[in-house]
Amino acid sequence: TSITEGSLQMLVSGGWEDEEIKAASAEAVKEYLEHDARAEKVLIGAAVPALGTRPECRHAYDTMAVEAVSECLAKHLGAIDEKLAVAVPMEKRANTEQLGLWAIADCALEDAEAASAAAVVAQQGQKRMHGGLTTARAMLSQTEKNIAELMATKTSKEAELWGIESAVFAAKRLKTMAAELAAQPQQQPQLQVATSSELVESSEQVGEAAGK
């Protein structure tokens, strides 16, 4: 890091150029020990004066303090590296899972859109079907009406045909009887008159029978 490779390395080697740079570097190392490495207060208190002393002027206690600070920061950075070694694969896996979830969400959204479109089509088809059913019912009603009218016409025509057939039958009957009378010239006129009356009566009876 910038602390171990910058400020700490300069203080350990005694490479500062002026007191201001030394003080700023010592303060940076102190804050790092307090807030990041969470070092013991005794070590932090001994680190500042020991690091602020040039190597050739350090006493044994100062040297021990500098070595303790370097070891403390090395352990702290090692712990960070271990956490990163575990966290990086987890982050990659989490990113992969997130991408998978996004893909699933996209598929689900597409399915929802397709279902919505299918519902619209189904509703339109239902409306068309309902309209077709209404039209079919109207056509059926009209057809039934037409059939009823045709049946009434058929009944009327059958009645007319029956009347015509009855009249034809009566006419044929009269013609036959007239032919039979014409074939008997030797009969007396009185008999002929009587026979004509019978023909008229017979014709009326046939007409009445036809009318029934």
Side-chain angles (χ1 to χ4, degrees), residues 143-159:
T143 301
E144 291 176 346
K145 182 179 179 182
N146 294 338
I147 290 173
E149 292 177 353
L150 289 173
M151 292 299 295
T153 302
K154 179 175 178 292
T155 302
S156 177
K157 294 298 182 181
E158 287 178 347

Side-chain angles (χ1 to χ4, degrees), residues 140-199:
L140 178 60
S141 177
Q142 184 62 39
T143 301
E144 291 176 346
K145 182 179 179 182
N146 294 338
I147 290 173
E149 292 177 353
L150 289 173
M151 292 299 295
T153 302
K154 179 175 178 292
T155 302
S156 177
K157 294 298 182 181
E158 287 178 347
E160 292 179 4
L161 181 59
W162 174 255
I164 292 172
E165 289 178 348
S166 298
V168 170
F169 176 78
K172 286 182 178 180
R173 178 62 178 168
L174 289 173
K175 182 178 180 182
T176 301
M177 293 177 70
E180 291 176 351
L181 290 174
Q184 300 176 0
Q186 69 278 8
Q187 293 180 354
Q188 298 297 324
Q190 290 83 3
L191 180 60
Q192 292 178 354
V193 171
T195 305
S196 299
S197 300
E198 291 177 358
L199 289 173

